[in-house]
Amino acid sequence: MQRRTLLIRLCQTIAATATAVLIIPIGRFISAPLFRKNKKSSGAQRVAKLTQLPVGTPTQVAIIGNRQDGWTLHPQAVIGKVWLIRRNEESEKPEDCQVDAYSAICPHLGCGINHSADDLQFVCPCHEAVFDDQGAVAKLDKPGYNNPSPRGMDTLDCQVVASESGNDLWVEVEYERFKIGLKDKVNL
């Protein structure tokens, strides 16, 4: 082997090694969101004390958690909102308390759902989808009106638990998001 050939091969080896050292970490950084595991649920989260919820009146609460957009992590940000409706008076036992939780995202096109205290119903301001106080699609007697929502408001798992000291009752909600525009409830 000639000296010139040996130097060329040595330079090619050094260049290939330097390229690999740069490309492998860059490739892993770019493809990281593709391989990140999606959690279906944020887990049960305490969102309100039971005493903060008036009986029969919907109350909107924010769900706080870590939100990630691509490579940016937003710690302790609002990841969603839910409507809580306390169905009965306070009880001594947490299992006797009934609270319903509904996602505040309209199943039609994903807008935020508001509550109309005058009409005692939930209303999506984007396309006027209307839901009753049980979260079901409401049938209105307005001429020409056709409720655009394919399904009722998405229900969420909810339970009432006692605090560690046993003095307070808390409402825990397991927040999930669902695909919009479908007749059936499908997790994202």
Side-chain angles (χ1 to χ4, degrees), residues 74-174:
H74 303 277
Q76 298 302 305
V78 175
I79 58 173
K81 293 182 179 178
V82 297
W83 285 102
L84 299 175
I85 304 176
R86 183 175 165 185
R87 300 291 183 189
N88 59 3
E89 293 292 329
E90 189 164 343
S91 174
E92 295 290 323
K93 298 178 185 175
E95 57 269 7
D96 293 339
C97 301
Q98 185 182 2
V99 177
D100 293 334
Y102 301 98
S103 174
I105 298 173
C106 182
H108 176 227
L109 289 179
C111 295
I113 296 174
N114 298 326
H115 182 258
S116 171
D118 297 337
D119 300 328
L120 300 176
Q121 58 192 11
F122 293 97
V123 178
C124 177
C126 294
H127 301 99
E128 299 181 353
V130 179
F131 308 92
D132 63 16
D133 65 339
Q134 301 292 320
V137 174
K139 300 191 185 311
L140 301 180
D141 292 333
K142 286 171 49 177
Y145 176 77
N146 188 14
N147 200 329
S149 181
R151 64 178 187 263
M153 294 171 67
D154 296 321
T155 57
L156 301 170
D157 289 337
C158 177
Q159 64 179 356
V160 177
V161 297
S163 65
E164 289 77 18
S165 65
N167 297 333
D168 297 318
L169 296 178
W170 285 85
V171 177
E172 285 186 350
V173 174
E174 189 162 339

Side-chain angles (χ1 to χ4, degrees), residues 17 19 24-25 43-44 127 136 144 157 168 184:
T17 304
T19 302
I24 290 173
H127 301 99
D157 289 337
D168 297 318
D184 297 320

